[in-house]
């Protein structure tokens, strides 16, 4: 947890306002509207005192990496603030699928057949309708999870027709040392081929580029909350 002095030094409210202005400018530059882009405030590793100012500003869409961390802080916040939408943006183990279905509204990291099958079973068991994204490993990085680009379209169709999952879009995390625009363009191309129109791409360092390439949601953490100390 952050100490009190760290919280005092970092002005997340001002940071959020600056991010919103940058989103609006990037959208306008691309001939798009601010309302076309959903800001997912990545609150992983941050606790309630750091999240509250952002909630009070009206931010309602948040991203978390881990089921257990989200379970520890969000149910209480959801009672205090209406219309919170939680996105799971980190890898999911199958033994956490039931809790993930219960906690989250959107799961962005479907990356293999087994997790698609388990999530479908749990969603049916809990009678809960969620939105899902397929994670694509656009850079073919061995340390990252995700479907390969060449398998993406077929995998999306299998998730839809065999597992009956509501696949809303695609998600990617470009390699840190490569031009992100190339990966965003690839994701957009794959999505169109799969008949999808939602793209979760772009983080604190590259969200403006992602907007130029058609991002419909961006995942911004450190640029809002500051770096964890």
């Amino acid at each position: 947890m952050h100490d009190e002095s760290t919280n005092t030094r970092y002005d997340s409210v001002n940071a959020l306002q600056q991010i919103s202005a940058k989103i609006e400018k990037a959208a306008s530059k691309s001939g798009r509207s601010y309302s076309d882009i959903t800001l997912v405030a990545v609150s992983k590793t941050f606790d309630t005192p750091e999240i509250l100012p952002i909630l009070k500003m009206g931010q309602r869409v948040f991203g978390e990496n881990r089921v257990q961390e989200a379970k520890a802080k969000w149910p209480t916040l959801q009672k205090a603030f209406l219309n919170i939408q939680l996105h799971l943006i980190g890898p999911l183990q199958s033994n956490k699928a039931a809790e993930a279905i219960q906690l989250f509204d959107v799961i962005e990291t479907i990356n293999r057949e087994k997790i698609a099958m388990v999530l479908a079973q749990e969603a049916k068991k809990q009678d809960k309708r969620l939105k899902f994204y397929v994670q694509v490993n656009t850079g073919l990085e061995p340390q990252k999870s995700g479907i390969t680009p060449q398998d993406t379209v077929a995998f999306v169709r299998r998730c839809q027709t065999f597992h009956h999952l509501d696949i809303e879009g695609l998600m990617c995390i470009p390699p840190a040392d490569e031009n992100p625009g190339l990966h965003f363009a690839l994701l957009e191309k794959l999505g169109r081929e799969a008949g999808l129109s939602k793209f979760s791409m772009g983080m604190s360092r590259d969200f403006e580029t992602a907007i130029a390439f058609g991002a419909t949601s961006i995942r911004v953490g450190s640029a809002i909350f500051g770096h964890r100390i």
Side-chain angles (χ1 to χ4, degrees):
M1 292 175 63
H2 289 156
D3 61 34
E4 188 174 346
S5 62
T6 302
N7 291 339
T8 302
R9 284 198 302 269
Y10 194 80
D11 186 352
S12 58
V13 169
N14 181 58
L16 179 61
Q17 291 172 333
Q18 290 185 28
I19 293 295
S20 295
K22 288 179 179 179
I23 293 170
E24 188 162 15
K25 184 176 179 181
S28 177
K29 191 175 178 181
S30 302
R32 304 175 66 197
S33 169
Y34 177 86
S35 61
D36 293 338
I37 295 112
T38 297
L39 170 61
V40 180
V42 179
S43 49
K44 66 175 185 178
T45 75
F46 291 95
D47 297 320
T48 298
E50 291 125 341
I51 297 170
L52 277 173
I54 303 303
L55 278 165
K56 289 174 181 176
M57 282 285 291
Q59 176 67 27
R60 289 294 180 270
V61 186
F62 291 86
E64 290 283 344
N65 263 39
R66 300 186 179 187
V67 173
Q68 287 307 110
E69 183 185 343
K71 185 180 179 182
K73 62 190 178 187
W74 281 106
T76 301
L77 288 168
Q78 286 171 316
K79 290 176 183 175
F81 295 88
L82 297 177
N83 303 317
I84 289 174
Q85 186 182 90
L86 286 184
H87 289 227
L88 179 63
I89 59 171
L92 178 63
Q93 300 301 316
S94 56
N95 64 349
K96 298 291 184 184
E99 288 179 305
I101 292 291
Q102 184 178 18
L103 278 167
F104 291 94
D105 304 288
V106 181
I107 293 176
E108 296 197 13
T109 49
I110 293 186
N111 56 16
R112 61 195 186 281
E113 181 77 25
K114 182 180 179 182
I115 204 67
M117 178 183 70
V118 173
L119 286 170
Q121 291 171 347
E122 285 297 338
K124 184 176 181 181
K125 186 187 296 183
Q126 296 184 33
D127 193 26
K128 186 176 176 185
R129 294 188 61 81
L130 285 78
K131 299 289 186 182
F132 298 94
Y133 284 64
V134 167
Q135 182 174 353
V136 183
N137 188 350
T138 56
L140 297 174
E141 296 175 277
Q143 77 277 19
K144 283 183 184 171
S145 60
I147 301 297
T148 63
Q150 58 265 37
D151 293 332
T152 297
V153 175
F155 182 73
V156 167
R157 289 176 180 154
R158 181 165 175 79
C159 286
Q160 292 169 327
T161 59
F162 186 79
H163 298 297
H164 306 292
L165 292 173
D166 187 356
I167 303 296
E168 184 172 65
L170 302 179
M171 181 268 246
C172 75
I173 306 170
D177 58 349
E178 293 185 19
N179 177 1
L182 298 175
H183 296 270
F184 299 150
L186 173 59
L187 196 76
E188 200 269 350
K189 177 177 178 289
L190 292 170
R192 300 296 175 188
E193 289 175 6
L196 303 173
S197 59
K198 299 284 188 179
F199 305 98
S200 175
M201 54 191 193
M203 297 184 289
S204 290
R205 67 180 181 271
D206 56 19
F207 70 85
E208 290 156 299
T209 301
I211 290 170
F213 281 92
T216 54
S217 61
I218 56 173
R219 309 179 304 275
V220 179
S222 60
I224 295 174
F225 294 102
H227 292 280
R228 195 130 174 81
I229 295 175

